[in-house]
Amino acid sequence: MKVFDLQCEHAHVFEGWFASHEDYDAQQARGLVTCPVCNSGDISRRVSAPHLNVAHLHASASAPAHAPNGKAVEAGGTRQAQAVAQLQAAMLQKIREFVRNTEDVGPRFAEEARAIHQGDAQERAIRGTSTPDERRELAEEGIDVVALPDIFNDERLQ
Ligand SMILES: [Zn+2]
C-alpha cells in the first residue's frame, strides 16, 4: 500500500492510497484520481513523504487533521528518530575508533601536547588527562584540545 500526498490545481492537499506506484500512475493517467474538495482531475504528487512529514510537523496548525494523515506523520517521525539514533551510534563508533588510535599519555597530556605543538615531539594524536588550568594554558598558547566526555575514555576502549 502506497500513501501519496497529492495536490490539485487549486492547491487542495489530500492523501491518496494506492496498491503501488504503478497503480497510482495508471489511475492518474485515466483521470480516476480526483480532488475530494473540488473534484478536479488535475492532480500532482507533492514532494517526497519524509520532507512532507517534517513540513506537517512544523505546520501542524494548518495541516489537515484527519486521522490517516496523523498516522502518516507519526510513522515518519518514528523513522526519522530511528535514522538519527543510527547516525548517533555510527558517530560514537567513529569517535571511539579515533580515540583507540591515539596514544595514551595519561597525566603528561598538557606537556606532550605542548611538545608536539612546538615541534619537540613527533606529530601524533594523543589522549590523556589534564587539569582545567592546563587546558586554559594550552588554549592561550593556541593549542587545540578537544575535551571528550569520560564515556570515550574507559576500559571499553582498551
Ligand atoms: Zn481541489
Side-chain angles (χ1 to χ4, degrees):
M1 183 65 73
K2 295 267 182 199
V3 182
F4 292 139
D5 283 285
L6 306 172
Q7 188 169 10
C8 79
E9 60 185 316
H10 304 298
H12 299 130
V13 176
F14 60 100
E15 251 182 11
W17 295 59
F18 303 92
S20 64
H21 200 297
E22 292 72 30
D23 181 38
Y24 164 76
D25 286 340
Q27 288 198 40
Q28 221 262 9
R30 280 183 281 156
L32 297 176
V33 184
T34 55
C35 172
V37 180
C38 66
N39 215 30
S40 165
D42 188 355
I43 305 299
S44 59
R45 276 180 63 194
R46 302 185 78 205
V47 286
S48 65
H51 286 288
L52 217 101
N53 287 336
V54 173
H56 279 180
L57 287 175
H58 287 305
S60 55
S62 61
H66 60 284
N69 208 31
K71 277 179 196 148
V73 169
E74 249 173 53
T78 305
R79 273 199 303 277
Q80 275 163 4
Q82 281 170 349
V84 168
Q86 278 169 6
L87 203 68
Q88 283 175 339
M91 272 180 64
L92 290 179
Q93 186 64 33
K94 281 277 172 234
I95 295 172
R96 285 215 160 94
E97 261 172 41
F98 172 75
V99 171
R100 259 198 300 270
N101 289 327
T102 59
E103 183 185 331
D104 188 1
V105 296
R108 291 187 300 110
F109 179 80
E111 196 185 313
E112 284 295 319
R114 188 172 289 117
I116 292 168
H117 182 73
Q118 291 168 351
D120 295 336
Q122 196 197 338
E123 178 91 36
R124 68 204 194 279
I126 58 171
R127 72 176 188 274
T129 55
S130 60
T131 65
D133 278 347
E134 284 173 333
R135 282 197 291 276
R136 192 162 49 241
E137 283 168 20
L138 289 173
E140 280 166 8
E141 291 165 42
I143 301 171
D144 286 331
V145 171
V146 178
L148 287 175
D150 284 344
I151 57 161
F152 294 113
N153 198 21
D154 61 15
E155 307 76 40
R156 280 172 293 173
L157 295 170
Q158 309 306 318

